[in-house]
Structures are given as structure tokens and as C-alpha cells.
Amino acid sequence: MKIALDITSGDLAPKSTINGAKNYLSNNPKNNLILIGKKSHYKSIKISSEYKNRIEFIEANQSIDANDRPSRVFKTKPDSSIVKSISLLKSKKIDAVVSAGNTGCLLASSLLILGKIKEITKPALAAYIPTSEKGFVLCDVGANANNKPNHLLEFSLMSEAYITYLEGVKNPRVALLNIGNESNKGNELFVDTYNLLDSKLNNFIGNIESRYLFDNKADIVVCDGFTGNIVLKLIEGLVNKMVNWTKESINNHSISKLARPMLYPVFKDIKKSFDYEEHGGTPLLGVNGIVIKCHGSSNEKAIEHAISKAEKCIKNDFIKKINISINKLNK
């Protein structure tokens, strides 16, 4: 098993990426990793000999910035960590790629170099959102701003493979994110998508409003990428704010200083229940290869868990499982 980690990309790289790699190796003593990026980044973080013996470093010196066109990066920046990683995956020299790099560049490079899985017309990003009970998959969360009903059907089927084989949820319930429960709610896209999902999926339970996302009503929630990205970022921001606001409120009230520390473990448990970093990254669904996209601000814990997710995808033959899910519909 060969997993490549892009150590150059990400807001907190290379510290977060390299330390995340070391944490993964520490907890998985039989596994090795391939680190791809700038030599200066690789040398900037001290790596002990026990880890160096299990790391292969591949140099990639070009940098991708905000001005680069995602559709041209694979030609203009072939020596960037993203393009080099995807190219190695294409040539089957590695089994999976993990990157916290620019979403557009990672997605475009993956599509242009690896191509799409057969029968898939658009790729998607599906984020696993943990809750106090088990969690749900939200798809799409940013790969596509413009969608048609058949795209959301594909998202549903790919998410089904995701949550079944990576999260262990059997017969997942699929819901369509909408502004109301009725089948005629929403714009033309959502009305038509409702009818399509209802006719094609045995496990479709109808529309779900955003206020019920955390009520364990659905295992998969599908939407267009524009809406999904807004929802994902709102969840991330709100959870952190709520915990901090509650702490501040307690500190401002006349609660004994001795009692306050007793409440903090409760907040820690609540925050962990909704912590996306516990799940690290999300696979690019529909791409013909295992590519795990991490949050741009991923810390070392998130990177470690993203590598573990890549390992899980490899062991579960994830691309084949998506094909099986798609073929069920065709039959």
C-alpha cells in the first residue's frame, strides 16, 4: 500500500502535513508513506530516524497560487506537489493521494489526468458531518455550483458507497436538502430532482430542511455544490462559536471558580462530537482514483485522519464499490 501526502499545500503546511504524517506512522508501525513537495519544506521539520526509514520523499518545486487557472495547472505546473501526486497515481506508482491544496486545482488536475469513473458525468465532494449520534454525508459541498437532477442522483449513489463502505452504515437513508418537506418545494432543479430520486432510489425519504440536519433523520443529504459549501462552512463556524460563547457566558456569571473547570470537559465532548477533523478529509467522488481532499486549514490531527481514510479507501477497493453502486441503478 502506497499513500502519497502533499506536504506543501495547505494553510498550515508544512508543519501540519509533516507532523500529521509522523502521527500516522506512529500509530501505524507497519505502514510507510510517500511525501511530495519542496525540499525546503521537507527539511524544515525535524524527522527522527525511526520515521525517515519509513518515508520516501519526492521533490516537487513549483508552487500553485490563487492566480493559477485550475484547468491549466496540470500543464503549466507539472512539478507542483498536486500535479506530481496525481500523475504518480495515474501511472499506478502509488495507490492514493492526500492533499490540503486548492480544491479547484486538485479537482481539475484529477479529472484531466485520471478521468472520471465510467457512467459518472460530474465529480462531487462529500463531507462526513459528525453528530452526537453517528453523523451523515453531505454531498456536494463544493465541486459543482451548477447541477442537473441526474447529477444529484449520481451524488446519491456515490455517497451511498462512501457511507456504506467507509463509515459502515448499511441501507443509508437519502434525503434532498430543501426549504420544505413537500415534493413541490424549491426551484425547478429541486422539484425535478425530488421526482427523479423518488423514482430511482428505494431508500429515498424525501426532502429535509436544514434545521433538521442534526436530528438523525437521514444518512445522506444531497444538494448542489453551491448550497452544500455554504452549509458546510456555516456548520464549521457555528459549532466553534457556540462552544466559545457558552464558555464566555459561564465565565461572566457568578459560578464558583472551582465549578467552572468541571464544565469544560463537557464542552470538549460536545466539540469533539461535531469535529470534522476527526474524519480528516473527503474523497473526490467520481474521479477514477483515490484522491482525498483535506480542509485548507487542516491541522496535524486532520492530516493524520485523512491518511487513515485513504488507507480505508484502498482496503475497501473504493473505486470498485462506486462502480457497483452505479451499476445497481443501471440494472
Side-chain angles (χ1 to χ4, degrees):
M1 183 186 305
K2 293 184 178 180
I3 300 174
L5 172 65
D6 170 7
I7 64 168
T8 294
S9 303
D11 300 339
L12 305 178
K15 185 177 180 180
S16 62
T17 48
I18 295 178
N19 285 337
K22 290 194 292 184
N23 291 346
Y24 172 81
L25 293 172
S26 177
N27 292 320
N28 297 272
K30 294 182 180 180
N31 296 351
N32 298 333
L33 286 175
I34 298 169
L35 305 188
I36 301 176
K38 294 182 178 180
K39 184 177 284 187
S40 59
H41 286 171
Y42 181 63
K43 289 185 174 182
S44 67
I45 308 296
K46 185 176 180 182
I47 302 175
S48 61
S49 57
E50 64 174 311
Y51 296 127
K52 277 193 174 180
N53 294 334
R54 296 162 56 200
I55 290 174
E56 177 185 348
F57 174 67
I58 297 177
E59 193 170 359
N61 285 314
Q62 286 183 302
S63 298
I64 292 175
D65 57 47
N67 296 319
D68 286 313
R69 288 175 57 191
S71 61
R72 299 290 301 166
V73 160
F74 82 108
K75 284 188 175 181
T76 59
K77 300 286 179 73
D79 195 38
S80 61
S81 53
I82 285 179
V83 176
K84 207 159 195 176
S85 300
I86 301 299
S87 298
L88 288 170
L89 186 58
K90 172 67 175 179
S91 62
K92 300 189 183 302
K93 293 180 180 178
I94 58 175
D95 301 304
V97 172
V98 176
S99 176
N102 178 285
T103 302
C105 292
L106 184 66
L107 181 59
S109 298
S110 298
L111 284 172
L112 292 166
I113 296 171
L114 300 172
K116 292 178 288 191
I117 294 173
K118 189 178 179 181
E119 306 292 344
I120 296 297
T121 55
K122 276 197 175 185
L125 281 167
Y128 185 84
I129 311 295
T131 68
S132 57
E133 294 186 36
K134 51 183 179 180
F136 63 94
V137 165
L138 180 65
C139 183
D140 177 25
V141 294
N144 306 282
N146 300 307
N147 296 115
K148 296 178 180 179
N150 66 294
H151 299 144
L152 272 70
L153 175 60
E154 292 173 4
F155 298 168
S156 303
L157 294 168
M158 292 191 291
S159 296
E160 184 178 336
Y162 180 165
I163 201 166
T164 299
Y165 297 104
L166 300 187
E167 301 297 338
V169 178
K170 305 300 179 184
N171 300 313
R173 301 159 295 170
V174 180
L176 177 65
L177 186 62
N178 210 329
I179 58 173
N181 294 325
E182 299 87 351
S183 60
N184 62 348
K185 283 287 187 179
N187 57 24
E188 184 179 353
L189 169 64
F190 286 90
V191 172
D192 291 346
T193 299
Y194 184 102
N195 294 329
L196 182 63
L197 298 185
D198 193 38
S199 65
K200 297 290 186 180
L201 302 178
N202 293 328
N203 51 349
F204 180 58
I205 61 171
N207 288 328
I208 186 170
E209 295 179 52
S210 56
R211 57 180 159 178
Y212 299 122
L213 287 176
F214 291 91
D215 288 352
N216 192 33
K217 292 178 180 290
D219 303 300
I220 296 167
V221 177
V222 292
C223 59
D224 64 279
F226 184 83
T227 302
N229 190 265
I230 290 174
V231 171
L232 179 66
K233 289 176 179 176
L234 176 63
I235 290 172
E236 291 173 355
L238 187 59
V239 170
N240 287 327
K241 283 293 183 183
M242 286 301 295
V243 171
N244 291 333
W245 284 338
T246 307
K247 285 181 180 179
E248 290 173 7
S249 180
I250 287 173
N251 289 333
N252 291 333
H253 283 76
S254 56
I255 297 176
S256 167
K257 289 185 178 180
L258 294 175
R260 289 175 193 170
M262 297 171 64
L263 297 172
Y264 291 147
V266 176
F267 302 134
K268 188 176 181 180
D269 289 344
I270 292 171
K271 191 171 183 180
K272 186 174 181 180
S273 294
F274 297 102
D275 190 359
Y276 70 92
E277 289 173 349
E278 289 289 332
H279 290 266
T282 177
L284 296 185
L285 299 181
V287 169
N288 195 23
I290 298 171
V291 181
I292 305 297
K293 170 66 177 79
C294 305
H295 197 289
S297 59
S298 291
N299 61 20
E300 60 188 66
K301 180 175 73 169
I303 296 295
E304 176 193 352
H305 291 157
I307 301 170
S308 295
K309 180 162 283 186
E311 178 187 348
K312 204 170 186 179
C313 285
I314 297 167
K315 287 181 176 178
N316 280 279
D317 202 354
F318 187 54
I319 303 302
K320 183 178 179 180
K321 295 300 192 302
I322 290 179
N323 276 309
I324 291 172
S325 186
I326 296 295
N327 289 335
K328 277 195 307 183
L329 179 67
N330 294 335
K331 290 179 182 179

